[in-house]
Amino acid sequence: GQNIDQPTEMTATEGAIVQINCTYQTSGFNGLFWYQQHAGEAPTFLSYNVLDGLEEKGRFSSFLSRSKGYSYLLLKELQMKDSASYLCAVRSLGNTGKLIFGQGTTLQVKP
Amino acid sequence: GAVVSQHPSWVICKSGTSVKIECRSLDFQATTMFWYRQFPKQSLMLMATSNEGSKATYEQGVEKDKFLINHASLTLSTLTVTSAHPEDSSFYICSARDSGTTDTQYFGPGTRLTVL
């Protein structure tokens, strides 16, 4: 079966660092994506990992371990505008590249 | 990142009418586009995969005769909600796969459908 797990909610303080974990069990794997979604808006692309290791992009970094079926999104120097839902998605094998989404983690950044 | 547009951004219609939503990839060609539906405080639910020049592939439980998908060109896919009912009210989001150098899926801004 296909299963992607993320914490439902997280709270962090402005200026701090937060790590959002994602574990997955899927029948095939062809990359893992992280998206940010503000309330009432569509998701925006944050990062893509297909090989093991850390990908850094400004204040955001994403890590992947394929053997452990595990990824995390690291947000540094948190800002109030980072309050949003963060979606972990695994791309399945096959020509279409269909994404399987987790339920998302709602992050609340407090002053 | 790449740009995907959707039109309209919101629509209100009467029960029983049909509504067409357009999804366009503006700066890349997309042989594959996806249609999602999202209810409040829930994650994205994939409805169907739209393939340019061929029939769409629908997810289990999604009625293909109710949600008509057409992918007539490499930059345009349309979703038509036929005979809409209040329970079809939702946030419909498309995405397009940029299978070029990035091989990333980019989302449109979404269409909020309200059926009265």
Side-chain angles (χ1 to χ4, degrees):
Chain A
Q2 319 273 45
N3 194 41
I4 299 177
D5 285 320
Q6 306 177 233
T8 306
E9 295 179 342
M10 297 183 73
T11 303
T13 305
E14 191 177 15
I17 300 173
V18 71
Q19 178 174 311
I20 303 174
N21 295 324
C22 172
T23 57
Y24 63 90
Q25 292 175 308
T26 56
S27 56
F29 179 85
N30 191 18
L32 186 143
F33 294 78
W34 283 96
Y35 289 87
Q36 179 191 61
Q37 186 178 26
H38 285 99
E41 299 180 12
T44 56
F45 170 74
L46 290 178
S47 70
Y48 167 61
N49 295 69
V50 67
L51 300 176
D52 290 351
L54 187 68
E55 294 280 342
E56 296 186 79
K57 193 184 291 185
R59 293 190 299 115
F60 293 2
S61 303
S62 57
F63 172 83
L64 175 67
S65 169
R66 289 172 296 170
S67 62
K68 295 182 179 178
Y70 168 69
S71 173
Y72 67 73
L73 180 70
L74 193 71
L75 292 76
K76 302 177 185 177
E77 301 170 15
L78 280 173
Q79 302 175 7
M80 297 299 290
K81 67 178 182 180
D82 296 331
S83 294
S85 287
Y86 291 85
L87 308 176
C88 172
V90 171
R91 181 161 63 197
S92 61
L93 294 173
N95 294 332
T96 65
K98 184 167 70 173
L99 293 181
I100 304 162
F101 280 89
Q103 286 299 305
T105 299
T106 300
L107 173 66
Q108 185 179 20
V109 180
K110 295 185 174 180
Chain B
V3 180
V4 176
S5 70
Q6 256 182 266
H7 178 80
S9 55
W10 59 270
V11 58
I12 301 172
C13 69
K14 292 183 179 179
S15 187
T17 60
S18 294
V19 174
K20 180 186 280 189
I21 303 170
E22 292 186 349
C23 178
R24 294 180 185 272
S25 56
L26 298 185
D27 52 0
F28 65 99
Q29 293 184 329
T31 55
T32 306
M33 292 184 174
F34 302 88
W35 287 96
Y36 296 84
R37 183 164 56 180
Q38 187 175 37
F39 293 104
K41 298 191 177 182
Q42 294 187 23
S43 191
L44 298 167
M45 186 195 82
L46 178 65
M47 299 174 67
T49 302
S50 172
N51 304 298
E52 188 267 336
S54 64
K55 291 182 179 180
T57 304
Y58 290 82
E59 295 298 303
Q60 195 171 11
V62 178
E63 300 174 58
K64 62 179 182 181
D65 294 329
K66 180 169 181 63
F67 299 99
L68 302 179
I69 291 172
N70 183 275
H71 194 152
S73 77
L74 288 172
T75 59
L76 173 64
S77 175
T78 60
L79 168 69
T80 302
V81 183
T82 62
S83 187
H85 288 95
E87 57 265 30
D88 298 324
S89 298
S90 187
F91 192 42
Y92 290 86
I93 312 172
C94 74
S95 71
R97 183 183 182 187
D98 181 0
S99 52
T101 52
T102 64
D103 200 11
T104 298
Q105 213 177 110
Y106 295 97
F107 284 85
T111 297
R112 192 161 301 282
L113 171 64
T114 302
V115 185
L116 302 177

